[in-house]
Amino acid sequence: MYPCSPCRAGRAARAGALRRTASVALAVASLMLSPGVGARPAKGGCRLTGPVPGFRLRCTSVIVGRGATADGSVILAHNEDLGDSAVHHYVAVPRRSHAPGEVVTLWSGATLPQVPVTWAYTATTLFDVAWVPGDVTSGVNERQVAVVNDSAQLRDAGGSSTSGGRVLWSEFSRLALERAETARQAVRVIGELAEKHGLGGDSATMFGVTDATEGWWIEITRDGQWVAERVPDDGASVRANAFRVGVVDLGNPDRFMGSADLVSHAEARGWYARSDGPFDFARAYGDARTAAAAWNTHREERVRDLLGTFPRAVKPSDLMAVLRDHYEGTSRDLTGGYALGSPHGTDEYTVCRRETEVAVVFQSRSWLPPEIGAVSWRAMATPCTSPFVPWYLGGTYVPTSYRTGSPSRKESSAYWAFRNLFASVDDDYAGRIGPVRRTWRDFEAGEASDQARMEAAALKLHGTDPGAARRMLTAFSDTRALLACQRARALVSR
């Protein structure tokens, strides 16, 4: 059911609590009420603690620079771990022109002046803006600018608010996609909005922003202080749910950007003094307990270890493997190779989680037209039990099944096809993950082969008939997506 008007007001008032920082009781209740996604009983002594053991934020993101990828593209990967039955849809939004005087109305009720033109983009969105609240959770626009978001925790956070014209986490993402032509411009769009309006709902948050040439992290606070750091072209960087921008040099704009009051505000709050030495953003503004918590540091260490296995040759498929990881083959796999139960239910906070609603790998390729160069690999629901399907910026249509679904289970919804498959596998992970994994491995291998031929044909066609090239891209993604959905239902029926 969609929340009623009074419920929407209540959700807005407690947005920060419902978004990624829910208590164990709320999270477990949400999952138990969601068909096919209930908590699993312990098996063989593996301690299952529910979806959110203790106070934990969610989501994991990775940026890989063009000098560290196999083909010179820039890659941005993200697991969206909203949970709370945050059913996702896929959208393709066209470029739009706007009349003078038009405004953008924020969730808080405040308005912003609309820009003359908003760029086309393709994105993952929540089924209802009132649910968390929020809408766009990740996306890429026609300039190959991609944006994802991870929650964070501010020092001495206190309560949260959506009042006073503040901007929600998802509104920052959507406005950046609509307005930015480069990753740097996206950083400035987000930063200027934060300075002027502040952050609503959460005490702090951060964004991974990339284009076809570079990637940035931008970390912002409720009161509008922000900092951004560029990822080296030959490097890779990960974020879990803690501020990680350290010592800042705003005199080096090629590496850092930030708000004018970045240092002075910290001094006024007693969070930094000149005698402390060089200004360290994470130390000054971040919550120290969150930053040091194992559920953050272990994920970051694991991702760095995995990235180290393919230096300077990272491919989208490598990032898909990262997003599917549960510490397999390490001492932090508390299931004994699944013998003790599902890897989603232990005390170790894994990258791939029961709460993962969608996983995305954005690839931006400067040598191709944006319609072909900007590709979003998406896995609906938990990625270890779902396939990654490529969706192109040039795509003009999303199948109805990927645009429908709410927390009330609907069999025609793609979200529920993959969520039901996850629930089936998770109930007997050791016995069921093997056939599912083999199915999607073969599916993705065939997809990669077909994709290379299709892209070559689309590129050739683009020079003479761009419309026909877009139709080819649309047909490829839609066909693969519908086939994946069909196979997911077949796997459940077995």
Side-chain angles (χ1 to χ4, degrees):
M1 295 179 63
Y2 287 77
C4 61
S5 296
C7 295
R8 294 181 183 184
R11 286 187 184 279
R14 63 181 188 274
L18 284 178
R19 182 176 183 267
R20 307 179 182 169
T21 59
S23 66
V24 175
L26 282 173
V28 172
S30 171
L31 286 173
M32 290 179 71
L33 289 171
S34 300
V37 200
R40 307 294 169 211
K43 295 183 179 181
C46 179
R47 183 183 176 193
L48 302 191
T49 59
V52 189
F55 182 82
R56 299 185 181 184
L57 307 175
R58 311 178 197 170
C59 297
T60 307
S61 299
V62 185
I63 294 176
V64 184
R66 58 181 175 170
T69 61
D71 60 1
S73 61
V74 178
I75 304 177
L76 172 62
H78 175 73
N79 270 356
E80 183 54 60
D81 298 340
L82 269 172
D84 298 318
S85 300
V87 175
H88 268 62
H89 297 172
Y90 297 167
V91 298
V93 179
R95 183 192 302 184
R96 291 172 176 152
S97 297
H98 303 278
E102 281 192 40
V103 297
V104 177
T105 301
L106 301 176
W107 175 261
S108 64
T111 59
L112 307 175
Q114 182 58 283
V115 295
V117 177
T118 50
W119 304 123
Y121 64 90
T122 179
T124 61
T125 70
L126 288 164
F127 75 100
D128 184 351
V129 68
W131 187 251
V132 173
D135 52 4
V136 172
T137 58
S138 69
V140 63
N141 73 11
E142 64 179 283
R143 303 297 182 177
Q144 301 205 54
V145 176
V147 182
V148 301
N149 170 257
D150 286 25
S151 55
Q153 186 75 6
L154 181 66
R155 180 175 183 168
D156 302 337
S160 61
S161 173
T162 56
S163 63
R166 294 177 183 269
V167 183
L168 289 180
W169 60 283
S170 64
E171 291 172 329
F172 281 108
S173 296
R174 175 168 52 81
L175 291 164
L177 290 171
E178 290 178 341
R179 301 179 176 201
E181 296 190 56
T182 65
R184 291 183 189 227
Q185 188 175 4
V187 168
R188 288 192 290 270
V189 167
I190 292 170
E192 289 169 7
L193 286 168
E195 287 186 57
K196 187 172 182 179
H197 301 280
L199 169 66
D202 301 301
S203 69
T205 198
M206 50 194 171
F207 300 87
V209 181
T210 58
D211 59 22
T213 61
E214 62 182 359
W216 291 76
W217 298 113
I218 175 169
E219 303 179 349
I220 67 176
T221 74
R222 180 171 51 218
D223 292 329
Q225 292 73 43
W226 64 276
V227 69
E229 182 176 17
R230 185 173 181 266
V231 176
D233 289 341
D234 61 351
S237 181
V238 58
R239 287 293 187 277
N241 300 109
F243 286 158
R244 294 302 186 202
V245 175
V247 175
V248 177
D249 178 10
L250 294 180
N252 181 4
D254 191 53
R255 184 178 175 191
F256 295 101
M257 291 186 271
S259 57
D261 65 345
L262 192 63
V263 177
S264 61
H265 183 83
E267 289 177 318
R269 292 295 303 267
W271 295 343
Y272 172 70
R274 303 283 173 172
S275 59
D276 294 338
F279 176 74
D280 185 307
F281 175 80
R283 183 176 299 172
Y285 282 94
D287 178 72
R289 292 169 301 174
T290 300
W295 50 268
N296 266 322
T297 60
H298 286 185
R299 273 183 293 157
E300 293 166 340
E301 291 169 8
R302 177 59 170 166
V303 172
R304 283 193 289 268
D305 286 346
L306 290 170
L307 290 172
T309 64
F310 27 78
R312 295 185 181 276
V314 179
K315 302 181 294 297
S317 58
D318 298 324
L319 273 298
M320 296 172 200
V322 169
L323 297 183
R324 286 167 164 155
D325 186 73
H326 315 99
Y327 298 106
E328 283 90 348
T330 76
S331 61
R332 289 177 181 158
D333 172 13
L334 304 185
T335 71
Y338 314 143
L340 300 179
S342 165
H344 303 114
T346 75
D347 284 340
E348 190 66 66
Y349 199 108
T350 54
V351 175
C352 177
R353 299 197 50 75
R354 179 177 288 142
E355 298 87 1
T356 305
E357 302 289 0
V358 67
V360 293
V361 178
F362 294 106
Q363 187 180 23
S364 297
R365 298 174 287 181
S366 62
W367 61 93
L368 291 171
E371 293 88 345
I372 304 171
V375 59
S376 311
W377 300 85
R378 301 179 189 145
M380 188 74 90
T382 306
C384 67
T385 58
S386 299
F388 281 87
V389 174
W391 299 81
Y392 288 87
L393 190 283
T396 58
Y397 178 79
V398 175
T400 303
S401 58
Y402 284 84
R403 292 183 281 115
T404 58
S406 72
S408 296
R409 178 159 41 186
K410 186 174 183 179
E411 295 305 323
S412 62
S413 164
Y415 173 87
W416 281 109
F418 293 108
R419 182 54 73 190
N420 290 342
L421 176 58
F422 161 75
S424 175
V425 173
D426 213 47
D427 194 48
D428 179 11
Y429 203 86
R432 297 175 182 171
I433 188 59
V436 170
R437 188 175 284 163
R438 288 190 293 273
T439 295
W440 297 138
R441 182 191 60 205
D442 294 344
F443 179 90
E444 290 173 353
E447 187 172 69
S449 176
D450 294 343
Q451 182 188 20
R453 290 191 294 270
M454 185 279 300
E455 284 190 358
L459 180 60
K460 183 176 181 179
L461 193 58
H462 185 273
T464 57
D465 191 344
R470 293 173 70 94
R471 290 190 293 274
M472 180 180 291
L473 295 166
T474 302
F476 181 81
S477 295
D478 290 0
T479 300
R480 298 300 300 181
L482 292 172
L483 179 59
C485 199
Q486 183 183 77
R487 290 190 181 176
R489 292 190 178 104
L491 285 166
V492 173
S493 69
R494 293 180 190 175

